[in-house]
Coordinates of all heavy atoms in Angstrom, one line a residue:
A282 N -67.5 75.3 -25.1 CA -67.3 74.0 -24.6 C -67.4 73.0 -25.7 O -66.6 72.0 -25.8 CB -68.3 73.7 -23.5
S283 N -68.4 73.2 -26.7 CA -68.5 72.3 -27.8 C -67.3 72.3 -28.7 O -66.8 71.2 -29.1 CB -69.7 72.7 -28.6 OG -69.9 71.9 -29.7
L284 N -66.7 73.5 -29.0 CA -65.5 73.5 -29.8 C -64.4 72.8 -29.2 O -63.6 72.2 -29.7 CB -65.2 75.0 -30.1 CG -66.2 75.8 -31.0 CD1 -65.8 77.3 -31.0 CD2 -66.1 75.2 -32.4
A285 N -64.3 73.0 -27.8 CA -63.2 72.3 -27.1 C -63.3 70.8 -27.2 O -62.3 70.1 -27.3 CB -63.2 72.8 -25.6
L286 N -64.5 70.3 -27.1 CA -64.7 68.9 -27.1 C -64.3 68.3 -28.5 O -63.8 67.2 -28.5 CB -66.2 68.6 -26.9 CG -66.6 68.7 -25.4 CD1 -68.2 68.5 -25.3 CD2 -65.9 67.7 -24.5
T287 N -64.5 69.1 -29.6 CA -64.1 68.5 -30.9 C -62.7 68.3 -31.1 O -62.2 67.6 -31.9 CB -64.7 69.5 -32.0 OG1 -64.1 70.8 -31.9 CG2 -66.2 69.6 -31.9
T288 N -61.9 69.0 -30.2 CA -60.4 68.9 -30.4 C -59.8 68.0 -29.3 O -58.6 67.9 -29.2 CB -59.8 70.3 -30.3 OG1 -60.1 70.9 -29.0 CG2 -60.3 71.2 -31.4
A289 N -60.7 67.4 -28.5 CA -60.2 66.6 -27.4 C -59.6 65.3 -28.0 O -60.0 64.8 -29.0 CB -61.3 66.3 -26.4
S290 N -58.8 64.7 -27.2 CA -58.1 63.4 -27.7 C -59.1 62.3 -27.5 O -60.1 62.4 -26.9 CB -56.9 63.2 -26.8 OG -57.3 62.9 -25.5
A291 N -58.8 61.2 -28.2 CA -59.6 60.0 -28.1 C -59.7 59.5 -26.7 O -60.7 59.0 -26.3 CB -59.1 58.9 -29.1
E292 N -58.5 59.6 -26.0 CA -58.4 59.1 -24.7 C -59.4 59.9 -23.8 O -60.1 59.3 -22.9 CB -57.0 59.2 -24.1 CG -56.1 58.2 -24.7 CD -55.5 58.7 -26.1 OE1 -55.9 59.8 -26.5 OE2 -54.6 58.1 -26.7
D293 N -59.5 61.2 -24.0 CA -60.3 62.0 -23.2 C -61.8 61.7 -23.4 O -62.6 61.6 -22.5 CB -60.1 63.6 -23.5 CG -58.8 64.1 -23.0 OD1 -58.3 63.4 -22.1 OD2 -58.3 65.1 -23.5
R294 N -62.1 61.5 -24.7 CA -63.5 61.1 -25.1 C -63.8 59.8 -24.4 O -64.9 59.6 -23.9 CB -63.6 61.0 -26.6 CG -63.7 62.4 -27.3 CD -64.2 62.2 -28.7 NE -63.4 61.3 -29.5 CZ -62.4 61.7 -30.3 NH1 -62.0 62.9 -30.3 NH2 -61.8 60.8 -31.0
D295 N -63.0 58.8 -24.4 CA -63.2 57.5 -23.8 C -63.4 57.7 -22.3 O -64.4 57.1 -21.8 CB -62.1 56.5 -24.1 CG -61.9 56.2 -25.6 OD1 -62.9 56.4 -26.3 OD2 -60.9 55.7 -25.9
A296 N -62.6 58.6 -21.7 CA -62.8 58.8 -20.3 C -64.1 59.4 -20.0 O -64.8 59.0 -19.0 CB -61.6 59.6 -19.8
R297 N -64.5 60.4 -20.8 CA -65.8 61.1 -20.6 C -66.9 60.1 -20.7 O -67.9 60.1 -20.0 CB -65.9 62.3 -21.5 CG -65.1 63.5 -21.0 CD -65.5 64.7 -21.7 NE -65.3 64.6 -23.2 CZ -64.2 64.9 -23.8 NH1 -63.2 65.3 -23.1 NH2 -64.1 64.8 -25.1
Q298 N -66.8 59.2 -21.8 CA -67.9 58.3 -22.0 C -68.1 57.3 -20.8 O -69.2 57.0 -20.5 CB -67.6 57.5 -23.3 CG -67.8 58.4 -24.6 CD -67.3 57.7 -25.8 OE1 -66.8 56.5 -25.8 NE2 -67.5 58.3 -26.9
A299 N -66.9 56.9 -20.3 CA -67.0 56.0 -19.1 C -67.6 56.7 -17.9 O -68.5 56.1 -17.2 CB -65.6 55.6 -18.7
V300 N -67.3 58.0 -17.7 CA -67.9 58.7 -16.6 C -69.4 58.9 -16.9 O -70.3 58.7 -16.0 CB -67.3 60.1 -16.5 CG1 -68.1 61.0 -15.5 CG2 -65.8 60.0 -16.0
A301 N -69.8 59.2 -18.2 CA -71.2 59.3 -18.5 C -72.0 58.1 -18.2 O -73.1 58.0 -17.7 CB -71.3 59.8 -20.0

Side-chain angles (χ1 to χ4, degrees):
S283 177
L284 291 173
L286 286 174
T287 60
T288 59
S290 66
E292 291 82 357
D293 289 341
R294 287 196 300 271
D295 292 343
R297 282 193 299 275
Q298 289 172 357
V300 171

